[in-house]
Amino acid sequence: VIIPNEHLLRYAGPLELRAKCFGESDGMLRIKACRMDKTTEKPTLAKFWAAGFNFSKAKVIDEVPYPPLEHLFFGEESLMASRLWTHGWDFFTPNHDVLFHCWSREYRKTFTSPSKERTKALKWVQGLLNSQCNENDILSYEKYGFGKVRTFKEYELFCGVNFASHIID
């Protein structure tokens, strides 16, 4: 696939992830890459986590295991960001270009298929992020829920997003 040059030029330079909006069909937060307001000498503390661009020590897998949520796309990054952050992990934005990932889907076809697994996964993530957990849910909140180092409310204040009310500061 050839990516149009305007995509590369629009995103040249250090970027950070910011909250964009909540999806109309699923209520999940959408994040976007934005050029940083100013450049820094060192990586900058970030508010969001990207599934396609993250590096860490291997112990993160044991401390914050990836939940087996099938066919989930939107919701995965908010879930992992909040879980990692509440377990004490921080995320950083590189202070210079490291790689390029074209998030735009404008130039290519995409496909998502509704499924029972996706619906269950989405419901579970919505329950956790909206503080409406149900003990009969498909996954253990003990194993796949929030950590105890920082609270989910503290994460919402840090990133400027209220997941239950769908408000972005």
Side-chain angles (χ1 to χ4, degrees):
V1 172
I2 298 174
I3 300 171
N5 285 335
E6 60 268 14
H7 289 290
L8 298 173
L9 295 174
R10 185 172 23 168
Y11 296 109
L15 302 174
E16 65 181 343
L17 297 177
R18 295 182 186 163
K20 179 181 178 183
C21 64
F22 283 88
E24 290 182 24
S25 63
D26 57 20
M28 290 289 101
L29 179 68
R30 305 299 196 263
I31 53 176
K32 63 182 177 179
C34 297
R35 191 179 312 270
M36 293 177 68
D37 295 331
K38 60 183 178 179
T39 56
T40 60
E41 291 294 317
K42 295 182 178 180
T44 305
L45 187 64
K47 298 176 181 180
F48 301 101
W49 176 88
F53 182 66
N54 65 85
F55 306 91
S56 65
K57 295 182 178 181
K59 69 180 185 175
V60 73
I61 297 167
D62 292 326
E63 290 181 17
V64 190
Y66 215 86
L69 298 170
E70 296 184 39
H71 308 285
L72 183 68
F73 186 73
F74 292 115
E76 167 198 20
E77 291 172 327
S78 296
L79 171 69
M80 288 306 295
S82 58
R83 292 183 62 237
L84 287 162
W85 200 86
T86 60
H87 278 85
W89 291 85
D90 290 323
F91 335 116
F92 294 87
T93 298
N95 60 326
H96 62 275
D97 288 338
V98 177
L99 60 84
F100 178 81
H101 172 75
C102 184
W103 277 2
S104 173
R105 294 171 199 59
E106 298 166 359
Y107 69 94
R108 62 185 167 94
K109 293 180 181 180
T110 59
F111 175 78
T112 56
S113 176
S115 67
K116 289 180 187 177
E117 292 81 11
R118 182 179 179 278
T119 301
K120 287 179 188 176
L122 190 58
K123 184 178 177 187
W124 189 86
V125 173
Q126 288 168 334
L128 187 62
L129 295 178
N130 296 329
S131 302
Q132 298 172 348
C133 302
N134 180 341
E135 60 188 51
N136 297 321
D137 277 332
I138 58 171
L139 292 177
S140 162
Y141 289 105
E142 180 81 22
K143 183 174 181 179
Y144 299 110
F146 298 130
K148 295 180 179 9
V149 176
R150 298 180 279 210
T151 68
F152 178 64
K153 186 65 179 168
E154 288 172 319
Y155 177 66
E156 287 185 309
L157 292 171
F158 171 68
C159 73
V161 175
N162 183 310
F163 287 89
S165 337
H166 292 185
I167 296 173
I168 299 171
D169 290 334

